[in-house]
Amino acid sequence: MGMPITPATATHSSSNGTAEAILLELVDEKGVTIGTAEKLAAHQPPGQLHRAFSVFLFDEQGRLLLQQRALGKYHSPGVWSNTCCGHPYPGEAPFAAAARRTYEELGGSPSLLAEAGTVRYNHPDPASGLVEQEFNHLFVGLVQAPLAPDPEEVASTAFVTAAELAARHAEQPFSAWFMTVLDAARPAIRELTGPSAGW
């Protein structure tokens, strides 16, 4: 008996070398799974509501780890965003997906990761014409080990204080969903980082 092929062990490429379609989990307004859709199709207007996750990791000083998305990404290339965001594979727990993608993108695992609620939003992205209709599971945590970001995913990273983030947000392009997910995660972020961090 071989290992069962689960979303976590599947390579997502077929035998002839072409990448298979990446499937997302479609959900209703309560976050209940109702089916699947191919990733790009789910993001084409008007968008299909699908499950997603967003991770916010902090260092011991209470600074948020931002990532600048790689320039080769099909959606929002080169913009700044939260530590990590993405989509669980169909049937994959959001917590597992968040931990997996954080490691795949940033080359390091959080030393702590905690659920921080959910947020539902509809964000058209004027630059790409794509639409984010997402039921987003939020996670906050701590990062202590040095990171080794994957250059295919991440152009650069930065740790910022709340004040530095505000200044940067005024000057540089951020992902369309960034402020929505940050604001939704703020209660958990304050609990994690303490009042002096200013989140």
Side-chain angles (χ1 to χ4, degrees):
M1 295 258 300
M3 255 184 75
I5 297 295
T6 66
T9 58
T11 58
H12 289 278
S13 64
S14 59
S15 53
N16 63 5
T18 58
E20 284 178 20
I22 296 173
L23 294 178
L24 306 186
E25 204 166 82
L26 299 180
V27 299
D28 66 15
E29 294 292 338
K30 295 190 176 74
V32 176
T33 303
I34 55 171
T36 60
E38 193 277 321
K39 183 176 179 180
L40 198 54
H43 289 87
Q44 279 160 349
Q48 294 172 276
L49 184 62
H50 59 275
R51 197 178 307 285
F53 64 82
S54 286
V55 177
F56 295 84
L57 296 183
F58 295 82
D59 66 8
E60 277 108 334
Q61 288 81 53
R63 297 181 304 167
L64 171 61
L65 175 59
L66 297 177
Q67 73 151 274
Q68 183 182 24
R69 294 165 64 84
L71 293 170
K73 304 279 274 191
Y74 81 96
H75 193 330
S76 306
V79 303
W80 288 88
S81 198
N82 48 296
T83 311
C84 179
C85 49
H87 309 97
Y89 295 132
E92 183 182 27
F95 185 92
R100 174 179 60 80
R101 282 305 291 162
T102 298
Y103 183 79
E104 289 173 1
E105 291 189 10
L106 295 160
S109 292
S111 55
L112 174 96
L113 194 63
E115 294 188 24
T118 59
V119 61
R120 188 259 192 261
Y121 52 79
N122 174 8
H123 282 300
D125 177 41
S128 66
L130 300 171
V131 178
E132 286 291 1
Q133 287 264 18
E134 293 192 328
F135 189 95
N136 197 314
H137 296 254
L138 307 170
F139 298 93
V140 300
L142 295 173
V143 60
Q144 287 160 312
L147 300 169
D150 176 355
E152 303 250 317
E153 299 283 352
V154 181
S156 60
T157 59
F159 280 100
V160 295
T161 65
E164 287 165 348
L165 174 64
R168 189 181 278 250
H169 192 260
E171 292 167 9
Q172 293 175 314
F174 273 72
S175 63
W177 61 87
F178 175 75
M179 285 312 292
T180 302
V181 290
L182 176 65
D183 286 341
R186 270 186 208 275
I189 289 171
R190 290 193 191 106
E191 199 174 316
L192 178 76
T193 59
S196 62
W199 294 104

